[in-house]
Amino acid sequence: MSKLIVNGGKRLSGRLKLQGAKNSVLPVLAATILCNNACEIHNCPSLSDVETSLKILSHLGALCTKEEDVVTVNPENIDSFEIPDSLMREMRSSIVFLGAILGRMKRAVISSPGGCELGPRPIDLHLLSLEKLGAIIREDHGFLYCEAPNGLKGTEINLSFPSVGATENIILAAATAEGKTVIHNAAKEPEVSDLADFLNSAGAKICGSGSDTIEIHGVKQLHGVNHTIIPDRIAAATYMAAAAITGGEIELENVMPSHLISVLSVFKEAGCTVLVDGKKISLRAASQLSRVPTVRTIVYPGFPTDAGPILIAMLSHAKGTSVFVENIFENRYKYTEELKRLGAKIKTEGKVAVIEGVEKFSAANCECTDLRGGAALVIAALAAEGETKISKIEHILRGYDDIAGNLRKLGADIKVV
Ligand code: EPZ
């Protein structure tokens, strides 16, 4: 298993072009299933989750290629409706393929996506919504057998929680369903809007994405499109935190600052200078990071749960005590045990984490527990004197495109072995 070796203590500075958003490219790849002909997706990050998605599409019968950051998917010959268990297990978010397969094939067989490192990841909202659209879903020995013999029919759906994945699955299933679907209490994340933009350019009729009420008028068919994936707002927060924790500076290009307003305010509260200019964000670290009294994670446009581990790692190095409240996932603090090996002083109790800033981190061996927790370890290691070994980095490679190469561009001493 590969590891990351980090020799910390170096001040990072420089410029980076940001990768495309993992949480946008995954549902967009699923959406190609609904198209009649080839799609070209630009600004596609090189991630293991993207590779897994392309394996799923190929398994269904699509022809997929990836050249640099351009992915092409030709869905014309898709003739299967089953995702093999092995591929479902590789990527929890493959549940988002369910709505698209159902929309095209009128049936689907998938295995229940395993829980993940963030605690149980129920899919009740996904299944309830698809049933409301006319799907019949039977669970048997961990497999979900779904069918909609008379096709899917539009309806009103009220989500008890604005689930990102469930909103995306409903949009995918409703895009070519008969009639109108209205989603109340829909997720407003930018990645949902990027999916709607992709589908609308393919001929769908979706309005209201980005708000909590989304209307989808089903259409008969969708054609292939060229689409550019939005920048990854969580990767942006990650590289900014790397510069901030090492007392450095960074200029990020190809960013959407409007997607990061709640995150930028935390960097500013911690004493960093943050400038926004069109699609660029530049950050200069405070000479000494200061505590941020309380950060609460919440759905968009509030502070994103995925940026929690990243800012907790950074604020572990601040002067004073910060408090985080994680309101989205039940168990998102596993990585803090590993952060403590590097010298962080963090107490967690249920949803709350109390972070007592420390002067210095010390290098240690640690292991990733999940994607963003792994990113948190990298950020802390960059500020730890000496050599830190980070194992189980396959978690990190799911969501970050060449994180070591990008950090080396900024002056970090980091390599994958
Ligand atoms: C998406 O996950 C992202 N993943 C997550 O990013 C992100 O943390 C999350 O949205 C919240 O923003 C992708 O887009 C691939 P949810 P998703 O459905 O769709 C509960 C990362 O690090 N829930 O909004 O799974 C669920 O248990 C990943 O990039 C139900 O109870 O998130 C959780 O507590 C991590 N029943 C909460 O809702 C359901 O049917 C939020 O889940 C669905 C969700």
Side-chain angles (χ1 to χ4, degrees), residues 22-23 26 92-93 118 120-126 161-166 168 189 233 305-306 328-330 332 371-372:
K22 162 179 96 78
N23 293 346
L26 300 182
R92 195 210 99 72
S93 35
L118 308 179
R121 295 281 288 277
I123 55 170
D124 54 316
L125 301 176
H126 296 248
F161 178 84
S163 153
V164 173
E168 291 166 346
E189 274 69 6
R233 57 198 169 101
T305 172
D306 296 346
I328 304 293
F329 286 103
E330 264 152 53
R332 190 151 206 175
L371 165 57
R372 307 299 174 185

Short mmCIF file of all heavy atoms in Angstrom, two decimals, residues 22-23 26 92-93 118 120-126 161-166 168 189 233 305-306 328-330 332 371-372, ligand 1:
data_model
loop_
_atom_site.label_atom_id
_atom_site.label_comp_id
_atom_site.label_asym_id
_atom_site.label_seq_id
_atom_site.Cartn_x
_atom_site.Cartn_y
_atom_site.Cartn_z
N LYS A 22 -14.87 16.63 -7.47
CA LYS A 22 -15.20 15.19 -7.37
C LYS A 22 -16.71 15.02 -7.24
O LYS A 22 -17.31 14.20 -7.93
CB LYS A 22 -14.51 14.58 -6.16
CG LYS A 22 -15.09 13.24 -5.71
CD LYS A 22 -14.40 12.63 -4.53
CE LYS A 22 -15.06 12.91 -3.24
NZ LYS A 22 -16.25 12.14 -2.92
N ASN A 23 -17.34 15.81 -6.38
CA ASN A 23 -18.75 15.59 -6.07
C ASN A 23 -19.68 16.12 -7.14
O ASN A 23 -20.91 16.01 -7.01
CB ASN A 23 -19.10 16.15 -4.69
CG ASN A 23 -18.39 15.36 -3.60
OD1 ASN A 23 -17.87 14.26 -3.87
ND2 ASN A 23 -18.31 15.92 -2.42
N LEU A 26 -18.98 12.94 -10.41
CA LEU A 26 -19.60 11.61 -10.21
C LEU A 26 -21.06 11.60 -10.69
O LEU A 26 -21.43 10.77 -11.53
CB LEU A 26 -19.45 11.16 -8.75
CG LEU A 26 -18.00 11.03 -8.25
CD1 LEU A 26 -17.95 10.52 -6.82
CD2 LEU A 26 -17.15 10.17 -9.17
N ARG A 92 -18.82 4.29 -2.42
CA ARG A 92 -20.13 4.37 -1.76
C ARG A 92 -21.09 5.23 -2.58
O ARG A 92 -22.27 4.96 -2.69
CB ARG A 92 -19.94 5.00 -0.38
CG ARG A 92 -21.13 4.81 0.50
CD ARG A 92 -21.29 5.92 1.47
NE ARG A 92 -22.27 6.88 1.02
CZ ARG A 92 -23.57 6.66 0.98
NH1 ARG A 92 -24.03 5.47 1.31
NH2 ARG A 92 -24.40 7.60 0.60
N SER A 93 -20.55 6.26 -3.20
CA SER A 93 -21.45 7.20 -3.89
C SER A 93 -21.95 6.63 -5.21
O SER A 93 -22.62 7.32 -5.96
CB SER A 93 -20.75 8.52 -4.12
OG SER A 93 -19.40 8.31 -4.38
N LEU A 118 -17.74 7.41 7.60
CA LEU A 118 -18.39 8.52 8.33
C LEU A 118 -19.58 8.00 9.11
O LEU A 118 -20.48 8.72 9.46
CB LEU A 118 -18.83 9.58 7.34
CG LEU A 118 -17.75 10.06 6.37
CD1 LEU A 118 -18.30 11.09 5.42
CD2 LEU A 118 -16.55 10.58 7.11
N PRO A 120 -22.85 5.03 9.48
CA PRO A 120 -23.79 4.43 8.52
C PRO A 120 -24.19 5.49 7.49
O PRO A 120 -24.29 6.66 7.81
CB PRO A 120 -24.98 4.06 9.40
CG PRO A 120 -24.87 4.90 10.61
CD PRO A 120 -23.43 5.21 10.81
N ARG A 121 -24.31 5.06 6.25
CA ARG A 121 -24.73 6.05 5.23
C ARG A 121 -26.06 5.53 4.67
O ARG A 121 -26.11 4.86 3.67
CB ARG A 121 -23.69 6.19 4.13
CG ARG A 121 -22.37 6.77 4.62
CD ARG A 121 -22.39 8.28 4.81
NE ARG A 121 -22.42 9.02 3.56
CZ ARG A 121 -21.33 9.30 2.84
NH1 ARG A 121 -20.16 8.85 3.20
NH2 ARG A 121 -21.42 9.99 1.73
N PRO A 122 -27.16 5.79 5.38
CA PRO A 122 -28.45 5.29 4.92
C PRO A 122 -28.81 5.84 3.53
O PRO A 122 -28.31 6.89 3.13
CB PRO A 122 -29.43 5.80 5.95
CG PRO A 122 -28.76 6.89 6.66
CD PRO A 122 -27.29 6.65 6.56
N ILE A 123 -29.63 5.10 2.83
CA ILE A 123 -30.11 5.57 1.51
C ILE A 123 -31.64 5.58 1.48
O ILE A 123 -32.24 5.55 0.41
CB ILE A 123 -29.54 4.67 0.38
CG1 ILE A 123 -29.90 3.19 0.61
CG2 ILE A 123 -28.05 4.86 0.20
CD1 ILE A 123 -29.59 2.30 -0.57
N ASP A 124 -32.23 5.65 2.67
CA ASP A 124 -33.70 5.61 2.74
C ASP A 124 -34.35 6.72 1.91
O ASP A 124 -35.33 6.49 1.21
CB ASP A 124 -34.17 5.69 4.19
CG ASP A 124 -33.60 6.91 4.92
OD1 ASP A 124 -32.39 7.18 4.76
OD2 ASP A 124 -34.35 7.60 5.61
N LEU A 125 -33.76 7.91 1.94
CA LEU A 125 -34.38 9.03 1.19
C LEU A 125 -34.31 8.77 -0.31
O LEU A 125 -35.23 9.09 -1.06
CB LEU A 125 -33.68 10.35 1.53
CG LEU A 125 -33.71 10.75 3.02
CD1 LEU A 125 -32.91 12.02 3.25
CD2 LEU A 125 -35.15 10.91 3.50
N HIS A 126 -33.19 8.15 -0.75
CA HIS A 126 -33.06 7.80 -2.18
C HIS A 126 -34.19 6.85 -2.57
O HIS A 126 -34.90 7.07 -3.55
CB HIS A 126 -31.73 7.09 -2.45
CG HIS A 126 -30.51 7.91 -2.20
ND1 HIS A 126 -29.68 8.33 -3.21
CD2 HIS A 126 -29.94 8.36 -1.06
CE1 HIS A 126 -28.66 9.03 -2.70
NE2 HIS A 126 -28.80 9.05 -1.41
N PHE A 161 -34.80 15.55 4.70
CA PHE A 161 -33.47 16.17 4.89
C PHE A 161 -32.96 16.54 3.50
O PHE A 161 -33.12 15.75 2.56
CB PHE A 161 -32.49 15.21 5.58
CG PHE A 161 -31.12 15.81 5.73
CD1 PHE A 161 -30.81 16.63 6.80
CD2 PHE A 161 -30.15 15.60 4.75
CE1 PHE A 161 -29.56 17.22 6.91
CE2 PHE A 161 -28.90 16.17 4.86
CZ PHE A 161 -28.60 16.99 5.93
N PRO A 162 -32.38 17.71 3.30
CA PRO A 162 -31.91 18.09 1.95
C PRO A 162 -30.66 17.30 1.55
O PRO A 162 -29.57 17.84 1.43
CB PRO A 162 -31.63 19.58 2.08
CG PRO A 162 -31.30 19.80 3.51
CD PRO A 162 -32.10 18.78 4.28
N SER A 163 -30.87 16.00 1.35
CA SER A 163 -29.75 15.11 1.00
C SER A 163 -29.23 15.43 -0.40
O SER A 163 -30.01 15.49 -1.36
CB SER A 163 -30.24 13.65 1.04
OG SER A 163 -29.49 12.83 0.16
N VAL A 164 -27.91 15.61 -0.52
CA VAL A 164 -27.29 15.90 -1.82
C VAL A 164 -27.51 14.73 -2.77
O VAL A 164 -28.05 14.88 -3.87
CB VAL A 164 -25.78 16.18 -1.65
CG1 VAL A 164 -25.08 16.31 -2.99
CG2 VAL A 164 -25.57 17.43 -0.80
N GLY A 165 -27.16 13.53 -2.33
CA GLY A 165 -27.26 12.36 -3.20
C GLY A 165 -28.69 12.04 -3.58
O GLY A 165 -28.98 11.71 -4.73
N ALA A 166 -29.59 12.17 -2.62
CA ALA A 166 -31.00 11.87 -2.93
C ALA A 166 -31.55 12.88 -3.93
O ALA A 166 -32.24 12.50 -4.89
CB ALA A 166 -31.83 11.87 -1.65
N GLU A 168 -29.88 14.45 -6.19
CA GLU A 168 -29.30 14.12 -7.49
C GLU A 168 -29.96 12.89 -8.10
O GLU A 168 -30.27 12.86 -9.30
CB GLU A 168 -27.78 13.91 -7.34
CG GLU A 168 -27.04 15.20 -7.01
CD GLU A 168 -25.61 15.00 -6.53
OE1 GLU A 168 -25.23 13.85 -6.18
OE2 GLU A 168 -24.88 16.01 -6.48
N GLU A 189 -26.51 22.50 -2.88
CA GLU A 189 -25.07 22.50 -3.16
C GLU A 189 -24.78 22.81 -4.62
O GLU A 189 -25.55 22.41 -5.52
CB GLU A 189 -24.48 21.14 -2.78
CG GLU A 189 -24.06 20.99 -1.32
CD GLU A 189 -25.24 20.95 -0.32
OE1 GLU A 189 -26.39 20.93 -0.76
OE2 GLU A 189 -24.98 20.96 0.88
N ARG A 233 -14.55 22.95 -4.57
CA ARG A 233 -14.47 23.93 -3.47
C ARG A 233 -13.78 23.35 -2.23
O ARG A 233 -13.15 24.07 -1.46
CB ARG A 233 -15.87 24.45 -3.13
CG ARG A 233 -16.87 23.37 -2.75
CD ARG A 233 -18.31 23.88 -2.86
NE ARG A 233 -19.25 22.77 -2.74
CZ ARG A 233 -19.93 22.46 -1.63
NH1 ARG A 233 -19.80 23.22 -0.57
NH2 ARG A 233 -20.76 21.43 -1.59
N THR A 305 -19.59 20.35 5.69
CA THR A 305 -19.05 19.28 6.54
C THR A 305 -17.69 18.80 6.03
O THR A 305 -16.79 18.51 6.82
CB THR A 305 -20.03 18.10 6.63
OG1 THR A 305 -19.41 17.02 7.31
CG2 THR A 305 -20.51 17.63 5.27
N ASP A 306 -17.51 18.75 4.70
CA ASP A 306 -16.25 18.22 4.15
C ASP A 306 -15.05 19.09 4.46
O ASP A 306 -13.91 18.61 4.41
CB ASP A 306 -16.36 18.07 2.62
CG ASP A 306 -17.42 17.06 2.25
OD1 ASP A 306 -17.86 16.32 3.15
OD2 ASP A 306 -17.83 17.04 1.09
N ILE A 328 -23.85 17.25 10.20
CA ILE A 328 -24.32 16.47 9.04
C ILE A 328 -24.10 14.98 9.22
O ILE A 328 -25.01 14.18 9.03
CB ILE A 328 -23.63 16.97 7.73
CG1 ILE A 328 -23.87 18.46 7.53
CG2 ILE A 328 -24.09 16.14 6.54
CD1 ILE A 328 -25.31 18.85 7.25
N PHE A 329 -22.88 14.58 9.56
CA PHE A 329 -22.60 13.14 9.71
C PHE A 329 -22.43 12.78 11.18
O PHE A 329 -21.95 13.58 11.96
CB PHE A 329 -21.33 12.77 8.92
CG PHE A 329 -21.54 12.72 7.44
CD1 PHE A 329 -21.09 13.75 6.63
CD2 PHE A 329 -22.24 11.67 6.85
CE1 PHE A 329 -21.31 13.73 5.26
CE2 PHE A 329 -22.46 11.64 5.48
CZ PHE A 329 -22.00 12.67 4.69
N GLU A 330 -22.84 11.53 11.45
CA GLU A 330 -22.80 11.09 12.85
C GLU A 330 -21.40 10.93 13.40
O GLU A 330 -21.15 11.12 14.57
CB GLU A 330 -23.47 9.71 12.94
CG GLU A 330 -24.93 9.79 13.36
CD GLU A 330 -25.65 8.61 12.77
OE1 GLU A 330 -25.18 7.48 13.00
OE2 GLU A 330 -26.64 8.84 12.06
N ARG A 332 -17.82 11.79 12.27
CA ARG A 332 -16.85 12.36 11.34
C ARG A 332 -15.55 12.75 12.06
O ARG A 332 -14.76 13.50 11.53
CB ARG A 332 -17.48 13.57 10.63
CG ARG A 332 -16.61 14.02 9.51
CD ARG A 332 -17.29 14.68 8.36
NE ARG A 332 -16.43 14.47 7.19
CZ ARG A 332 -16.75 14.82 5.97
NH1 ARG A 332 -17.91 15.38 5.73
NH2 ARG A 332 -15.93 14.59 4.96
N LEU A 371 -11.50 10.13 3.52
CA LEU A 371 -10.96 11.07 2.53
C LEU A 371 -10.52 12.40 3.14
O LEU A 371 -9.36 12.81 3.06
CB LEU A 371 -12.02 11.29 1.44
CG LEU A 371 -11.84 12.47 0.48
CD1 LEU A 371 -10.51 12.41 -0.23
CD2 LEU A 371 -12.98 12.52 -0.52
N ARG A 372 -11.42 13.10 3.78
CA ARG A 372 -11.09 14.45 4.28
C ARG A 372 -10.26 14.36 5.57
O ARG A 372 -9.46 15.24 5.85
CB ARG A 372 -12.36 15.28 4.50
CG ARG A 372 -13.26 15.32 3.28
CD ARG A 372 -12.60 15.94 2.05
NE ARG A 372 -13.50 15.81 0.89
CZ ARG A 372 -13.20 16.15 -0.33
NH1 ARG A 372 -12.00 16.63 -0.58
NH2 ARG A 372 -14.06 16.01 -1.33
C1 EPZ B 1 -22.47 14.12 -0.53
O1 EPZ B 1 -22.66 12.88 0.14
C2 EPZ B 1 -20.98 14.20 -0.76
N1 EPZ B 1 -20.54 13.07 -1.59
C3 EPZ B 1 -20.25 14.18 0.58
O2 EPZ B 1 -18.86 14.36 0.31
C4 EPZ B 1 -20.73 15.36 1.43
O3 EPZ B 1 -20.13 15.29 2.69
C5 EPZ B 1 -22.26 15.26 1.58
O4 EPZ B 1 -22.87 15.23 0.27
C6 EPZ B 1 -22.82 16.45 2.34
O5 EPZ B 1 -22.51 17.63 1.66
C7 EPZ B 1 -20.79 13.12 -2.92
O6 EPZ B 1 -21.38 14.06 -3.43
C8 EPZ B 1 -20.28 11.97 -3.72
P1 EPZ B 1 -26.14 13.51 2.00
P2 EPZ B 1 -24.17 12.30 0.37
O7 EPZ B 1 -27.06 12.55 1.33
O8 EPZ B 1 -24.98 12.58 -0.84
C9 EPZ B 1 -28.10 11.39 5.75
C10 EPZ B 1 -16.60 13.94 0.49
O9 EPZ B 1 -15.81 14.02 1.42
N2 EPZ B 1 -28.90 10.65 4.76
O10 EPZ B 1 -26.37 14.98 1.83
O11 EPZ B 1 -24.03 10.91 0.83
C11 EPZ B 1 -26.63 10.95 5.74
O12 EPZ B 1 -26.47 9.81 6.58
C12 EPZ B 1 -17.96 13.31 0.69
O13 EPZ B 1 -16.39 14.38 -0.68
C13 EPZ B 1 -29.94 9.85 5.20
O14 EPZ B 1 -30.22 9.75 6.40
O15 EPZ B 1 -24.64 13.22 1.57
C14 EPZ B 1 -25.91 12.14 6.27
O16 EPZ B 1 -25.95 12.13 7.70
C15 EPZ B 1 -18.13 12.82 2.10
N3 EPZ B 1 -30.67 9.14 4.29
C16 EPZ B 1 -26.73 13.32 5.76
O17 EPZ B 1 -28.01 12.78 5.39
C17 EPZ B 1 -30.41 9.21 2.95
O18 EPZ B 1 -31.12 8.55 2.14
C18 EPZ B 1 -26.11 14.00 4.55
O19 EPZ B 1 -26.07 13.09 3.55
C19 EPZ B 1 -29.35 10.03 2.51
C20 EPZ B 1 -28.60 10.74 3.44
#
